[in-house]
PDB file of all heavy atoms in Angstrom:
ATOM      1  N   LEU L 593      80.591  93.145 104.562  1.00  0.00           N
ATOM      2  CA  LEU L 593      79.997  93.852 103.426  1.00  0.00           C
ATOM      3  C   LEU L 593      78.525  94.167 103.651  1.00  0.00           C
ATOM      4  O   LEU L 593      78.041  95.231 103.255  1.00  0.00           O
ATOM      5  CB  LEU L 593      80.145  92.999 102.171  1.00  0.00           C
ATOM      6  CG  LEU L 593      79.516  93.518 100.871  1.00  0.00           C
ATOM      7  CD1 LEU L 593      80.408  94.585 100.248  1.00  0.00           C
ATOM      8  CD2 LEU L 593      79.296  92.368  99.883  1.00  0.00           C
ATOM      9  N   ILE L 594      77.836  93.256 104.287  1.00  0.00           N
ATOM     10  CA  ILE L 594      76.390  93.438 104.489  1.00  0.00           C
ATOM     11  C   ILE L 594      76.068  94.646 105.357  1.00  0.00           C
ATOM     12  O   ILE L 594      74.920  95.098 105.401  1.00  0.00           O
ATOM     13  CB  ILE L 594      75.739  92.174 105.088  1.00  0.00           C
ATOM     14  CG1 ILE L 594      76.344  91.850 106.469  1.00  0.00           C
ATOM     15  CG2 ILE L 594      75.908  90.985 104.145  1.00  0.00           C
ATOM     16  CD1 ILE L 594      75.623  90.738 107.191  1.00  0.00           C
ATOM     17  N   ASP L 595      77.090  95.175 106.056  1.00  0.00           N
ATOM     18  CA  ASP L 595      76.894  96.354 106.906  1.00  0.00           C
ATOM     19  C   ASP L 595      77.386  97.631 106.239  1.00  0.00           C
ATOM     20  O   ASP L 595      77.532  98.663 106.892  1.00  0.00           O
ATOM     21  CB  ASP L 595      77.630  96.163 108.233  1.00  0.00           C
ATOM     22  CG  ASP L 595      77.109  94.975 109.022  1.00  0.00           C
ATOM     23  OD1 ASP L 595      75.868  94.825 109.079  1.00  0.00           O
ATOM     24  OD2 ASP L 595      77.928  94.201 109.561  1.00  0.00           O
ATOM     25  N   GLY L 596      77.642  97.579 104.929  1.00  0.00           N
ATOM     26  CA  GLY L 596      78.162  98.742 104.212  1.00  0.00           C
ATOM     27  C   GLY L 596      77.161  99.872 104.122  1.00  0.00           C
ATOM     28  O   GLY L 596      75.951  99.700 104.311  1.00  0.00           O
ATOM     29  N   LEU L 597      77.683 101.062 103.820  1.00  0.00           N
ATOM     30  CA  LEU L 597      76.849 102.250 103.687  1.00  0.00           C
ATOM     31  C   LEU L 597      75.937 102.124 102.476  1.00  0.00           C
ATOM     32  O   LEU L 597      76.354 101.638 101.424  1.00  0.00           O
ATOM     33  CB  LEU L 597      77.732 103.491 103.516  1.00  0.00           C
ATOM     34  CG  LEU L 597      78.683 103.825 104.666  1.00  0.00           C
ATOM     35  CD1 LEU L 597      79.660 104.920 104.239  1.00  0.00           C
ATOM     36  CD2 LEU L 597      77.898 104.256 105.895  1.00  0.00           C
ATOM     37  N   THR L 598      74.701 102.579 102.611  1.00  0.00           N
ATOM     38  CA  THR L 598      73.794 102.546 101.460  1.00  0.00           C
ATOM     39  C   THR L 598      72.599 103.460 101.660  1.00  0.00           C
ATOM     40  O   THR L 598      72.120 103.652 102.777  1.00  0.00           O
ATOM     41  CB  THR L 598      73.282 101.115 101.193  1.00  0.00           C
ATOM     42  OG1 THR L 598      72.444 101.121 100.034  1.00  0.00           O
ATOM     43  CG2 THR L 598      72.497 100.564 102.374  1.00  0.00           C
ATOM     44  N   ASP L 599      72.151 104.031 100.547  1.00  0.00           N
ATOM     45  CA  ASP L 599      70.881 104.753 100.504  1.00  0.00           C
ATOM     46  C   ASP L 599      69.859 103.955  99.706  1.00  0.00           C
ATOM     47  O   ASP L 599      68.807 104.461  99.342  1.00  0.00           O
ATOM     48  CB  ASP L 599      71.080 106.130  99.851  1.00  0.00           C
ATOM     49  CG  ASP L 599      71.825 107.097 100.758  1.00  0.00           C
ATOM     50  OD1 ASP L 599      71.638 107.032 101.982  1.00  0.00           O
ATOM     51  OD2 ASP L 599      72.601 107.919 100.233  1.00  0.00           O
ATOM     52  N   SER L 600      70.198 102.699  99.413  1.00  0.00           N
ATOM     53  CA  SER L 600      69.336 101.855  98.568  1.00  0.00           C
ATOM     54  C   SER L 600      68.783 100.667  99.353  1.00  0.00           C
ATOM     55  O   SER L 600      68.757  99.541  98.859  1.00  0.00           O
ATOM     56  CB  SER L 600      70.137 101.366  97.354  1.00  0.00           C
ATOM     57  OG  SER L 600      70.641 102.448  96.616  1.00  0.00           O
ATOM     58  N   LYS L 601      68.336 100.931 100.560  1.00  0.00           N
ATOM     59  CA  LYS L 601      67.850  99.846 101.425  1.00  0.00           C
ATOM     60  C   LYS L 601      66.646  99.124 100.824  1.00  0.00           C
ATOM     61  O   LYS L 601      66.377  97.973 101.156  1.00  0.00           O
ATOM     62  CB  LYS L 601      67.513 100.401 102.815  1.00  0.00           C
ATOM     63  CG  LYS L 601      68.730 100.947 103.570  1.00  0.00           C
ATOM     64  CD  LYS L 601      68.350 101.381 104.974  1.00  0.00           C
ATOM     65  CE  LYS L 601      69.519 102.025 105.694  1.00  0.00           C
ATOM     66  NZ  LYS L 601      70.670 101.119 105.854  1.00  0.00           N
ATOM     67  N   HIS L 602      65.935  99.803  99.914  1.00  0.00           N
ATOM     68  CA  HIS L 602      64.766  99.169  99.295  1.00  0.00           C
ATOM     69  C   HIS L 602      65.156  97.976  98.422  1.00  0.00           C
ATOM     70  O   HIS L 602      64.308  97.152  98.077  1.00  0.00           O
ATOM     71  CB  HIS L 602      64.000 100.187  98.460  1.00  0.00           C
ATOM     72  CG  HIS L 602      64.770 100.734  97.297  1.00  0.00           C
ATOM     73  ND1 HIS L 602      65.781 101.669  97.448  1.00  0.00           N
ATOM     74  CD2 HIS L 602      64.700 100.477  95.963  1.00  0.00           C
ATOM     75  CE1 HIS L 602      66.283 101.955  96.260  1.00  0.00           C
ATOM     76  NE2 HIS L 602      65.648 101.245  95.347  1.00  0.00           N
ATOM     77  N   LEU L 603      66.449  97.884  98.085  1.00  0.00           N
ATOM     78  CA  LEU L 603      66.917  96.757  97.264  1.00  0.00           C
ATOM     79  C   LEU L 603      67.244  95.529  98.107  1.00  0.00           C
ATOM     80  O   LEU L 603      67.499  94.453  97.565  1.00  0.00           O
ATOM     81  CB  LEU L 603      68.160  97.170  96.462  1.00  0.00           C
ATOM     82  CG  LEU L 603      67.970  98.285  95.438  1.00  0.00           C
ATOM     83  CD1 LEU L 603      69.311  98.642  94.794  1.00  0.00           C
ATOM     84  CD2 LEU L 603      66.956  97.882  94.374  1.00  0.00           C
ATOM     85  N   GLY L 604      67.240  95.700  99.429  1.00  0.00           N
ATOM     86  CA  GLY L 604      67.550  94.587 100.314  1.00  0.00           C
ATOM     87  C   GLY L 604      69.032  94.509 100.643  1.00  0.00           C
ATOM     88  O   GLY L 604      69.854  95.249 100.096  1.00  0.00           O
ATOM     89  N   SER L 605      69.380  93.594 101.524  1.00  0.00           N
ATOM     90  CA  SER L 605      70.776  93.416 101.926  1.00  0.00           C
ATOM     91  C   SER L 605      71.511  92.560 100.905  1.00  0.00           C
ATOM     92  O   SER L 605      70.930  91.643 100.313  1.00  0.00           O
ATOM     93  CB  SER L 605      70.854  92.741 103.302  1.00  0.00           C
ATOM     94  OG  SER L 605      70.260  93.547 104.286  1.00  0.00           O
ATOM     95  N   PRO L 606      72.797  92.834 100.689  1.00  0.00           N
ATOM     96  CA  PRO L 606      73.557  92.011  99.742  1.00  0.00           C
ATOM     97  C   PRO L 606      73.734  90.589 100.243  1.00  0.00           C
ATOM     98  O   PRO L 606      73.852  90.349 101.449  1.00  0.00           O
ATOM     99  CB  PRO L 606      74.901  92.733  99.645  1.00  0.00           C
ATOM    100  CG  PRO L 606      74.998  93.565 100.877  1.00  0.00           C
ATOM    101  CD  PRO L 606      73.594  93.934 101.249  1.00  0.00           C
ATOM    102  N   ASP L 607      73.719  89.652  99.325  1.00  0.00           N
ATOM    103  CA  ASP L 607      73.991  88.247  99.621  1.00  0.00           C
ATOM    104  C   ASP L 607      75.505  88.060  99.513  1.00  0.00           C
ATOM    105  O   ASP L 607      76.083  88.209  98.427  1.00  0.00           O
ATOM    106  CB  ASP L 607      73.253  87.378  98.603  1.00  0.00           C
ATOM    107  CG  ASP L 607      73.478  85.892  98.827  1.00  0.00           C
ATOM    108  OD1 ASP L 607      74.652  85.463  98.885  1.00  0.00           O
ATOM    109  OD2 ASP L 607      72.484  85.155  98.915  1.00  0.00           O
ATOM    110  N   TYR L 608      76.156  87.728 100.625  1.00  0.00           N
ATOM    111  CA  TYR L 608      77.617  87.682 100.650  1.00  0.00           C
ATOM    112  C   TYR L 608      78.196  86.673  99.667  1.00  0.00           C
ATOM    113  O   TYR L 608      79.117  86.988  98.912  1.00  0.00           O
ATOM    114  CB  TYR L 608      78.107  87.391 102.067  1.00  0.00           C
ATOM    115  CG  TYR L 608      79.602  87.177 102.131  1.00  0.00           C
ATOM    116  CD1 TYR L 608      80.487  88.232 101.906  1.00  0.00           C
ATOM    117  CD2 TYR L 608      80.133  85.912 102.403  1.00  0.00           C
ATOM    118  CE1 TYR L 608      81.854  88.040 101.936  1.00  0.00           C
ATOM    119  CE2 TYR L 608      81.506  85.719 102.443  1.00  0.00           C
ATOM    120  CZ  TYR L 608      82.365  86.787 102.206  1.00  0.00           C
ATOM    121  OH  TYR L 608      83.718  86.588 102.232  1.00  0.00           O
TER     122      TYR L 608
END
Side-chain angles (χ1 to χ4, degrees):
L593 177 79
I594 61 172
D595 298 317
L597 298 170
T598 182
D599 287 326
S600 302
K601 295 184 185 299
H602 64 285
L603 297 176
S605 298
D607 180 306
Y608 174 69

